[in-house]
Amino acid sequence: MAKIPFIKKDQLEAICEQYPTPFHLYDEAGIRQTARNLFKAFSWNKGFKEYFAVKATPNPTILKILEEEGCGTDCSSLTELMMSEKCGIVGKNIMFSSNETPAEEFVKCKELGGIINLDDITHIDFLKETCGIPETISCRFNPGGVFELGTDIMDNPGDAKYGMTRPQLTEAYKRLKEEGCKEFGLHAFLASNTVSNEYYPALAKILFNIAVEIKEETGVSLSFINLSGGVGIPYTPDKEPNDIFVIGEGVRKAFEEVLVPAGLGDIKIFTELGRYMLAPNGALVTRAIHEKHTHKEYVGVDACAANLMRPAIYGAYHHITVMGKEDAPCDHKYDVVGSLCENCDKFAVDRMLPEIEKGDLLFIHDAGAHGFSMGYNYNGRLRSSEILLREDGSTKMIRRAETPEDYFATLADFWNVEL
């Protein structure tokens, strides 16, 4: 089985004549269609809102495209708040979900009118002392233990640093109500990158039941419930992708079953998807520049883990298409490697691929989220450019590649020192 690139070889070669490899390439048409499908799947909920996880792909052009499709931003740092503001995304179009938050970041979010999602009960006093308690606020829940779907363990919230315990949640809403809060939300993130149509409905039912309990215990009627992220993508070609329409219908059924009879049918549903929105709609494009025949067969490319570090740090699989050889037999076993002085700098290990020759273009799939954003400068390697493939087939550079001058710019008096 194989994944199909969102671009043809001749078109990609033409792009490479203008922008040297490596670079990240994003598909505007795919991004917009993904957003439209999400909103359609949750159209049954009048207040539905997607807050795109900026950390997945922090680029203003991407944020503006998603804003045009109705999305807000999920921010977790000062610079993400600043980027959102620069894009004109402010007020309740910002969800600020952070942890161990510096005071200046709470101040900035409140200044922008964003919704603060409190990670811990102790942050109530910290927020009060820092900038005051806002009228609208959300609390993050962590149930502890492991999160299971049927007999499958999906993740381990008990080991996660995020969120409040269930008793803390009740106490937090009581205190926030006393502090003058008027609009309340609930948030939880229990599993990452689930490829299951059951995850969101199961999470929703848990949070919906808590909403009913909170109303009984504190008198607080929640205004919104944020299902956060966790809806993932199939990185390997043998898995079926999530069906967002089945997911949306599953959440609707839980909503009708739990919230409507409790008189909470006006609760708005929010999501904070990053990977689902962008990963399949982006790729790392790189060119084979070396081959090595030793104890294994190696293909060296002009990208490295500095451009896409998920395979290096997680052993994550990213499918690779050798452009122009999509129909050729995968009868050669390669390690596809970059130039870092680390043996984990490998995009693929023992991967069966068509024969790769120097000069071939490689399309590394599903790099549109947590790809460029996780980049770094180890070995003095420079971050690559980001290119948008527009709906009309034209391209736009939405971030230029770093230069050596960029790398040295933060070194105090570097250029005044004799080398």
Side-chain angles (χ1 to χ4, degrees):
M1 296 179 69
K3 289 175 176 269
I4 300 173
F6 53 75
I7 191 169
K8 300 295 185 182
K9 180 179 183 291
D10 56 349
Q11 188 181 8
L12 189 56
E13 286 285 10
I15 293 173
C16 292
E17 291 179 6
Q18 187 174 2
Y19 309 108
T21 56
F23 55 80
H24 285 80
L25 183 68
Y26 303 101
D27 178 23
E28 180 182 0
I31 294 169
R32 290 188 183 277
Q33 189 59 56
T34 301
R36 290 169 189 174
N37 288 344
L38 173 65
F39 276 88
K40 186 175 180 180
F42 283 87
S43 60
W44 55 266
N45 184 265
K46 293 181 181 178
F48 175 76
K49 184 81 173 180
E50 156 64 7
Y51 290 86
F52 174 69
V54 177
K55 59 182 170 286
T57 318
N59 188 291
T61 301
I62 300 297
L63 300 189
K64 290 294 291 181
I65 289 172
L66 289 169
E67 184 204 22
E68 290 170 6
E69 297 298 335
C71 301
T73 53
D74 162 39
C75 300
S76 57
S77 69
L78 178 63
T79 49
E80 289 181 358
L81 287 168
M82 294 170 67
M83 185 179 292
S84 183
E85 178 186 22
K86 191 70 173 176
C87 291
I89 304 171
V90 296
K92 291 185 178 180
N93 289 316
I94 295 175
M95 183 70 63
F96 186 53
S97 298
S98 64
N99 66 96
E100 311 310 328
T101 309
E104 65 177 340
E105 300 187 2
F106 278 140
V107 171
K108 183 64 175 178
C109 184
K110 193 177 181 199
E111 172 193 318
L112 295 177
I115 301 171
I116 292 173
N117 184 31
L118 284 181
D119 185 64
D120 188 67
I121 194 168
T122 63
H123 294 177
I124 296 174
D125 287 336
F126 184 76
L127 182 61
K128 183 178 179 180
E129 295 165 5
T130 298
C131 59
I133 304 293
E135 289 191 353
T136 300
I137 201 157
S138 178
C139 292
R140 187 170 188 171
F141 170 57
N142 184 330
V146 297
F147 178 72
E148 299 175 311
L149 280 179
T151 59
D152 295 328
I153 295 176
M154 305 300 289
D155 220 320
N156 190 356
D159 277 349
K161 65 177 180 175
Y162 314 109
M164 307 180 198
T165 66
R166 179 62 185 83
Q168 288 174 337
L169 209 55
T170 297
E171 179 61 24
Y173 286 120
K174 286 180 179 177
R175 291 186 57 194
L176 290 166
K177 185 179 179 183
E178 292 170 359
E179 293 291 342
C181 286
K182 295 177 179 163
E183 187 176 11
F184 302 85
L186 174 63
H187 171 286
F189 177 84
L190 303 188
S192 178
N193 193 39
T194 62
V195 187
S196 166
N197 293 331
E198 285 75 46
Y199 169 62
Y200 252 13
L203 171 63
K205 193 165 186 177
I206 291 170
L207 298 183
F208 295 166
N209 280 311
I210 290 175
V212 175
E213 294 167 3
I214 291 297
K215 182 181 179 182
E216 294 171 350
E217 295 166 3
T218 69
V220 167
S221 293
L222 298 181
S223 295
F224 60 87
I225 291 176
N226 189 338
L227 302 178
S228 188
V231 176
I233 65 159
Y235 284 96
T236 57
D238 58 315
K239 291 182 180 177
E240 286 293 321
N242 284 317
D243 186 327
I244 199 63
F245 296 102
V246 172
I247 291 171
E249 177 61 14
V251 176
R252 186 196 66 78
K253 287 180 179 178
F255 190 95
E256 296 286 343
E257 177 186 336
V258 178
L259 292 181
V260 172
L264 296 171
D266 291 333
I267 286 180
K268 297 183 283 289
I269 302 301
F270 296 161
T271 57
E272 292 175 348
L273 299 173
R275 191 190 317 263
Y276 175 79
M277 301 294 285
L278 253 294
N281 299 312
L284 175 60
V285 179
T286 183
R287 198 178 289 277
I289 58 173
H290 290 290
E291 57 185 55
K292 185 174 182 178
H293 316 284
T294 54
H295 306 290
K296 302 183 77 172
E297 292 295 303
Y298 294 96
V299 170
V301 296
D302 57 9
C304 64
N307 307 110
L308 177 63
M309 68 186 297
R310 294 186 72 256
I313 63 172
Y314 301 133
Y317 180 97
H318 279 262
H319 198 68
I320 297 174
T321 295
V322 184
M323 300 301 290
K325 299 181 180 180
E326 292 87 348
D327 298 324
C330 295
D331 54 4
H332 286 64
K333 184 187 290 186
Y334 294 113
D335 281 14
V336 180
V337 302
S339 59
L340 295 188
C341 298
E342 295 290 339
N343 197 44
C344 65
D345 182 19
K346 299 179 178 181
F347 294 112
V349 176
D350 294 333
R351 184 77 59 87
M352 297 305 296
L353 292 164
E355 182 178 10
I356 299 175
E357 301 167 280
K358 285 190 287 185
D360 280 346
L361 276 178
L362 275 59
F363 183 100
I364 303 180
H365 292 257
D366 301 319
H370 309 291
F372 180 94
S373 65
M374 295 177 73
Y376 58 109
N377 287 127
Y378 181 63
N379 265 180
R381 292 297 171 188
L382 305 175
R383 293 177 179 87
S384 53
S385 61
E386 293 181 293
I387 310 300
L388 180 69
L389 176 63
R390 291 184 171 120
E391 290 182 287
D392 64 3
S394 64
T395 57
K396 175 186 177 183
M397 182 170 66
I398 59 176
R399 190 191 302 266
R400 67 166 175 81
E402 285 183 337
T403 66
E405 288 74 20
D406 295 321
Y407 178 77
F408 294 128
T410 56
L411 294 171
D413 297 325
F414 176 80
W415 297 112
N416 297 325
V417 176
E418 291 187 12
L419 299 179

